Amino acid sequence: MLRGQLARIGIALALLLLILSLFVSSPTARFVLSVLMALAALLPVVCGPNRFRMVGIMAVVAGLAIAYPLYPAFRGDPYYVRGRVNQAATFGMQVAQAADRLAAERNRPPKSLRELDMDLPRGIVQDVSFPKDGAVLVILEVPT
């Protein structure tokens, strides 16, 4: 009886952590939540009855599958950071070219990224602004 209750608690906790990890945008927080999910899912695998073991194994695999690609971001791997900075620089160049075209058409610089019909790349660029001097200011979103 106690083993079944512990298995249910582990599965419920793993499901809650999975749902939380879907709403978090930080790669580091998502990594931590998915590792905690895998650890919580170990409870039904280790001490649960047979009917909960397969669910626990699937939850452990799902937690590790979510955590694996996020691990370099969690560590602050320099190659990961360098790749993100390169992606942000490429995006900045695209924004600058689009801003130049718009400035040539309308004789004024753009006021926002929406005017250029461009979206921010999630997890790479936090914000783009256009100061009065005609420059493009790209604020990166990479781990330190």
Side-chain angles (χ1 to χ4, degrees):
M1 184 73 156
L2 180 63
R3 288 173 36 160
Q5 292 297 328
L6 284 175
R8 286 186 184 101
I9 290 170
I11 291 171
L13 186 59
L15 184 61
L16 177 69
L17 290 168
L18 172 67
I19 292 169
L20 284 176
S21 73
L22 295 175
F23 290 109
V24 174
S25 63
S26 166
T28 303
R30 188 173 291 161
F31 174 79
V32 170
L33 287 172
S34 59
V35 168
L36 289 174
M37 175 186 138
L39 289 174
L42 277 176
L43 197 58
V45 173
V46 173
C47 67
N50 286 337
R51 65 177 184 245
F52 291 122
R53 285 195 178 148
M54 186 55 97
V55 175
I57 290 171
M58 290 181 353
V60 168
V61 169
L64 294 176
I66 294 170
Y68 180 73
L70 298 172
Y71 183 65
F74 179 73
R75 283 190 331 179
D77 188 9
Y79 293 109
Y80 175 81
V81 174
R82 186 179 302 153
R84 294 294 185 167
V85 170
N86 285 339
Q87 289 174 338
T90 302
F91 177 73
M93 291 301 293
Q94 292 170 352
V95 169
Q97 290 170 352
D100 263 351
R101 284 192 298 270
L102 184 87
E105 289 173 7
R106 299 183 185 173
N107 293 328
R108 66 170 178 81
K111 295 178 183 170
S112 70
L113 200 59
R114 289 185 187 257
E115 242 183 302
L116 301 175
D117 291 328
M118 297 178 83
D119 293 325
L120 290 174
R122 189 171 182 195
I124 299 169
V125 176
Q126 187 175 17
D127 191 26
V128 174
S129 62
F130 303 94
K132 300 281 185 202
D133 62 355
V136 176
L137 179 63
V138 178
I139 300 173
L140 305 179
E141 185 180 329
V142 294
T144 57

